[in-house]
């Protein structure tokens, strides 16, 4: 685990063995896209409102720059140390639920240069530290001053892991990883409407994802996931449910045409996008399919459009486990029946 950049108001400490065992996966084999996502998660944890990510697939390098709260000298002096974190202090806190996006530090296993400047105090200097396969230089003054925030640069990734490096440099693997990276960053950008995102591919000189600050998740959803469709835009019905434990809000397409807008689906939990293989995702699609069949008799041409939705679920982090999956893209709810009831209570019913 690594120190989460930006959490300068919490004292960095090394977790006890039982705590560190809980936050690491049984098998840790982060991909290029996972390293990028982990760094972006850390930027969100730091309260960033602007995040710029640059990748070079051919050189296996990337960088993430944000305007978050920054890291102080103490945090930089322990970043990358095994089981050192500023986000979780004890196993009891972990049992109470993970309140941050990043908490394992997988992105810091490669050569990383970290340049950071704290927001508080305002006159704090810009500092730099370098990690190389677990070896860290002591933080010192950066060559150039920067605005408050943090920049993490990862170069020559997998330099000490020949098999992983060869696998990532295959054209087919690189293309698949790039597509996955764009899809994940797009969903994360939609789930964080108040944050400006940009993802740039330096090897081709192409900007892959760009989004300014949006007024709502729906506005970001329309901008990123529906803007490229040449078909009729689906009519979206508003969803809302709150029983004091689970709060669900969002929008779901109603059956107004037979078009097919693919990949226009987002389900987020406390701002964290869930994979389309998650159980809740499948439940939404199954419920939508049943609704489609019921409405088939009421429409002359109902079509067979897949569900289009942008749904946000919020609840106390103690109600689910986000640490069991190594990619943190799925969660395990302790009371799945209650979550199902919240979801079904929000879905529209045929008249």
């Amino acid at each position: 685990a690594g120190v989460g950049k930006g959490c300068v108001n919490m004292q960095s400490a090394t977790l006890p063995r039982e705590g560190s065992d809980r936050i690491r996966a049984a098998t840790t084999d982060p991909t290029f896209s996972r390293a990028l996502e982990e760094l972006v998660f850390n930027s969100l944890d730091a309260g960033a409102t602007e995040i710029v990510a640059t990748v070079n697939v051919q050189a296996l390098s990337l960088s993430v720059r944000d305007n978050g709260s920054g890291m102080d000298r103490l945090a930089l002096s322990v970043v990358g140390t095994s089981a050192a974190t500023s986000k979780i202090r004890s196993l009891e806190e972990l049992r109470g639920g993970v309140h941050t996006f990043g908490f394992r530090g997988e992105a810091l296993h490669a050569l990383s240069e970290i340049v950071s400047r704290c927001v508080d105090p305002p006159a704090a200097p810009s500092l730099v530290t370098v990690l190389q396969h677990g070896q860290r230089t002591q933080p010192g003054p950066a060559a150039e001053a920067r605005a408050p925030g943090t920049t993490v640069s990862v170069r020559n990734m997998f330099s000490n892991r020949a098999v992983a490096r060869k696998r990532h440099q295959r054209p087919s693997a690189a293309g698949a990883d790039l597509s996955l990276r764009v899809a994940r960053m797009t969903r994360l950008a939609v789930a964080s409407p108040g944050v400006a995102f940009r993802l740039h591919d330096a090897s081709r000189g192409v900007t892959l994802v760009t989004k300014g600050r949006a007024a709502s998740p729906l506005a970001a959803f329309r901008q990123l996931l529906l803007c490229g469709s040449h078909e009729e835009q689906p009519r979206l019905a508003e969803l809302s449910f709150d029983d004091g434990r689970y709060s669900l809000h969002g929008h779901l397409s109603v059956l107004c045409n037979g078009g097919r807008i693919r990949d226009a689906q987002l389900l987020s939990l406390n701002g964290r996008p869930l994979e389309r293989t998650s159980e809740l995702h499948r439940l939404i699609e199954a419920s939508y399919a049943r609704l489609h069949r019921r409405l088939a008799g009421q429409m002359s041409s109902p079509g067979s459009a897949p569900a289009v939705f942008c749904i946000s679920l919020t609840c106390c982090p103690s109600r689910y486990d986000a640490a069991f999956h190594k990619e943190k893209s799925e969660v395990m709810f302790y009371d799945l029946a209650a979550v199902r009831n919240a979801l079904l209570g929000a879905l529209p019913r045929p008249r």
Side-chain angles (χ1 to χ4, degrees), residues 252-275:
L252 174 74
S253 59
V254 294
L255 301 173
C256 56
N257 59 59
R260 288 185 174 273
I261 302 177
R262 299 193 181 279
D263 300 325
Q265 299 178 339
L266 174 71
L267 173 62
S268 64
L269 171 63
N270 291 343
R272 181 193 302 274
L274 299 182
E275 287 294 328

Side-chain angles (χ1 to χ4, degrees), residues 60-143:
L60 288 176
S61 64
L62 61 92
S63 69
V64 175
R65 179 185 179 94
D66 66 51
N67 66 342
S69 54
M71 301 174 69
D72 60 11
R73 187 179 294 271
L74 174 60
L76 285 173
S77 67
V78 297
V79 65
T81 302
S82 177
T85 179
S86 58
K87 299 182 179 182
I88 303 172
R89 296 184 180 182
S90 65
L91 181 59
E92 287 68 29
E93 287 189 2
L94 184 62
R95 288 169 176 162
V98 177
H99 292 73
T100 57
F101 286 107
F103 55 91
R104 288 190 184 139
E106 293 98 327
L108 300 177
H109 71 286
L111 173 63
S112 301
E113 179 183 78
I114 305 173
V115 179
S116 187
R117 178 183 171 190
C118 287
V119 171
D120 186 26
S126 297
L127 302 174
V128 61
T129 191
V130 176
L131 295 171
Q132 185 173 14
H133 311 318
Q135 300 299 316
R136 180 184 61 256
T137 63
Q138 292 301 315

Side-chain angles (χ1 to χ4, degrees), residues 14-24 82-83 89-91 94:
T14 301
L15 286 175
R17 176 64 181 272
E18 60 270 19
S20 62
D21 285 347
R22 281 289 305 276
I23 66 172
R24 64 178 173 84
S82 177
R89 296 184 180 182
S90 65
L91 181 59
L94 184 62

Side-chain angles (χ1 to χ4, degrees), residues 53-290:
T54 303
V55 299
N56 189 323
V57 179
Q58 297 176 351
L60 288 176
S61 64
L62 61 92
S63 69
V64 175
R65 179 185 179 94
D66 66 51
N67 66 342
S69 54
M71 301 174 69
D72 60 11
R73 187 179 294 271
L74 174 60
L76 285 173
S77 67
V78 297
V79 65
T81 302
S82 177
T85 179
S86 58
K87 299 182 179 182
I88 303 172
R89 296 184 180 182
S90 65
L91 181 59
E92 287 68 29
E93 287 189 2
L94 184 62
R95 288 169 176 162
V98 177
H99 292 73
T100 57
F101 286 107
F103 55 91
R104 288 190 184 139
E106 293 98 327
L108 300 177
H109 71 286
L111 173 63
S112 301
E113 179 183 78
I114 305 173
V115 179
S116 187
R117 178 183 171 190
C118 287
V119 171
D120 186 26
S126 297
L127 302 174
V128 61
T129 191
V130 176
L131 295 171
Q132 185 173 14
H133 311 318
Q135 300 299 316
R136 180 184 61 256
T137 63
Q138 292 301 315
E144 296 181 3
R146 60 151 295 160
T150 301
T151 300
V152 179
S153 302
V154 179
R155 301 183 300 273
N156 198 24
M157 195 171 180
F158 305 118
S159 60
N160 63 337
R161 299 170 60 187
V163 175
R165 184 177 181 86
K166 184 176 181 180
R167 182 175 69 247
H168 279 76
Q169 288 182 324
R170 294 172 182 167
S172 58
D177 194 62
L178 181 63
S179 299
L180 178 62
R181 181 164 55 253
V182 172
R184 282 179 168 169
M185 286 292 292
T186 300
R187 296 202 312 273
L188 190 57
V190 173
S192 308
V195 180
F197 275 89
R198 189 166 80 94
L199 174 61
H200 183 73
D201 183 357
S203 63
R204 297 185 298 161
V206 177
T207 297
L208 304 174
V209 180
T210 180
K211 178 189 78 71
R213 300 177 191 175
S216 66
L218 179 60
F221 182 74
R222 290 189 180 279
Q223 177 185 347
L224 290 181
L225 292 178
L226 292 180
C227 65
S229 173
H230 299 292
E231 303 164 357
E232 178 185 349
Q233 294 288 303
R235 186 162 54 92
L236 301 176
E238 186 173 359
L239 309 179
S240 183
F241 179 88
D242 192 336
D243 64 359
R245 297 181 302 165
Y246 300 95
S247 176
L248 189 148
H249 301 280
H251 293 78
L252 174 74
S253 59
V254 294
L255 301 173
C256 56
N257 59 59
R260 288 185 174 273
I261 302 177
R262 299 193 181 279
D263 300 325
Q265 299 178 339
L266 174 71
L267 173 62
S268 64
L269 171 63
N270 291 343
R272 181 193 302 274
L274 299 182
E275 287 294 328
R276 297 178 64 180
T277 55
S278 69
E279 187 166 359
L280 287 185
H281 203 291
R282 295 195 299 268
L283 180 60
I284 294 174
E285 291 189 315
S287 300
Y288 183 85
R290 288 195 295 269

